[in-house]
Amino acid sequence: MMNMRTKQIAPGVEMPVLSIGTGGIERMYANEIITNWLELGGRGIDTALNYKNQENVRDSIVAFISKPNTTTTRKDLFVTTKVPNCENVGRTVKKDLQELDMEYIDLVLIHNPRSGGNCTQAWTELESFFASNEARTIGVSNFDKKDLEPILRIAKVKPHVNQIRLNVLQNNPDTIDYSTQHGIMIQSYSPLGRNNTSSRGVDIPGNPTIQRIASIHNVTTYQIAIKWIVQHGWITTFQSSSKEHQAVDANVFSFTLTSNEVKELDGL
């Protein structure tokens, strides 16, 4: 079983440092991906209404926790989903709950601030689901500093998480710093530079510095990429359809980067 660690993102709420993603090309393999992840000991699962696979997520979870001799229950899992944008948040969260067939969702995010709707109004609607315990925590995704500022001006409950594109070769220091200053946990997606980011100059396995550091620790370049995120105190959701690759990529708690190695990676 994998060594799975958590971070507190709200009082009494621990979120797995590593979650498995089901978006992108992986969405059609959601059942296999989630089953593999749960069998390995993973407990964080990331989906979204736009992924059109929430029923698959539900079925995979139900099948796993219903197995004879299993001790895992729904309360042991941490499920993240997202509403598409800032429009009709109340209706879309209810659709998330319906498709997942859950009484509550561990984390609900607004997926994109720039694809429609009034985000301050949307945040107020999302706070109502937090108040009713239908969302244990709430947050945002793809929100830059300028997107967060109006939310924080009116928020009764500040976002618990900001899920952003973040990897060792591609990050936004202003957004990271602003979120951190306001106690918002940073969650990385695309930590391995996949999902067609190679066309934007993101080639983690081909980077000489990452290769050298991976060689020193006798691990893969993808393990170094995830470890860099974890060692900064952030959390991440990554994608892998192979059980073997999931196990290797998630094996990041058996080694530690030196302070000089972290500085080198920061400078890439």
Side-chain angles (χ1 to χ4, degrees):
M1 296 286 283
M2 293 186 298
N3 181 356
M4 281 295 126
R5 301 186 185 183
T6 62
K7 296 276 287 187
Q8 182 173 294
I9 61 168
V13 181
E14 296 283 330
M15 182 173 181
V17 171
L18 305 180
S19 293
I20 199 69
T22 60
I25 61 172
E26 280 80 4
R27 72 181 65 180
M28 66 185 74
Y29 306 112
N31 292 90
E32 178 184 354
I33 290 168
I34 293 170
T35 300
N36 288 340
W37 184 241
L38 294 176
E39 288 177 350
L40 286 168
R43 294 298 178 258
I45 299 168
D46 184 276
T47 186
L49 186 63
N50 277 349
Y51 297 168
K52 303 186 188 305
N53 62 8
Q54 294 192 128
E55 292 93 343
N56 301 93
V57 172
R58 172 200 65 206
D59 293 346
S60 300
I61 289 173
V62 169
F64 184 80
I65 64 178
S66 300
K67 286 181 178 181
N69 304 319
T70 187
T71 58
T72 304
T73 68
R74 166 66 184 92
K75 291 182 179 180
D76 297 317
L77 308 180
F78 195 100
V79 178
T80 300
T81 193
K82 312 170 197 76
V83 297
N85 51 36
C86 294
E87 291 182 322
N88 303 312
V89 165
R91 186 179 69 191
T92 49
V93 172
K94 289 177 182 177
K95 189 171 183 180
D96 286 329
L97 287 162
Q98 180 181 12
E99 289 188 357
L100 290 165
D101 193 21
M102 295 178 177
E103 294 181 359
Y104 68 90
I105 299 168
D106 297 282
L107 173 61
V108 180
L109 306 175
I110 298 174
H111 209 158
N112 192 325
R114 293 174 286 278
S115 61
N118 181 316
C119 289
T120 54
Q121 179 180 337
W123 187 252
T124 299
E125 291 184 68
L126 202 53
E127 286 178 326
S128 69
F129 288 94
F130 175 76
S132 67
N133 296 315
E134 292 169 286
R136 292 180 68 210
T137 52
I138 52 179
V140 294
S141 180
N142 298 303
F143 275 57
D144 294 335
K145 177 183 177 182
K146 66 179 182 300
D147 303 309
L148 286 167
E149 287 172 334
I151 297 293
L152 291 177
R153 281 197 291 269
I154 58 91
K156 295 178 180 176
V157 179
K158 69 183 179 184
H160 298 112
V161 171
N162 187 10
Q163 185 187 101
I164 59 175
R165 183 185 297 278
L166 166 62
N167 59 63
V168 66
L169 298 179
Q170 183 182 50
N171 50 77
N172 183 335
D174 286 344
T175 296
I176 293 170
D177 290 346
Y178 187 78
S179 297
T180 302
Q181 289 165 9
H182 288 85
I184 302 169
M185 174 60 70
I186 289 291
Q187 183 181 31
S188 154
Y189 71 84
S190 293
L192 306 178
R194 296 172 182 171
N195 196 22
N196 297 321
T197 56
S198 60
S199 62
R200 307 176 199 176
V202 180
D203 181 12
I204 285 171
N207 183 277
T209 299
I210 301 173
Q211 289 174 346
R212 176 172 50 79
I213 294 173
S215 178
I216 291 170
H217 293 276
N218 195 29
V219 297
T220 69
T221 53
Y222 286 153
Q223 285 173 283
I224 293 297
I226 292 178
K227 184 64 175 185
W228 175 79
I229 290 167
V230 171
Q231 207 159 312
H232 269 290
W234 307 319
I235 58 181
T236 188
T237 175
F238 73 100
Q239 294 173 288
S240 177
S241 56
S242 160
K243 190 173 187 178
E244 179 183 2
H245 288 166
Q246 287 181 10
V248 172
D249 293 346
N251 182 16
V252 296
F253 300 110
S254 59
F255 67 96
T256 301
L257 300 172
T258 68
S259 58
N260 285 337
E261 288 169 344
V262 173
K263 287 179 183 178
E264 277 193 272
L265 295 169
D266 287 347
L268 294 178

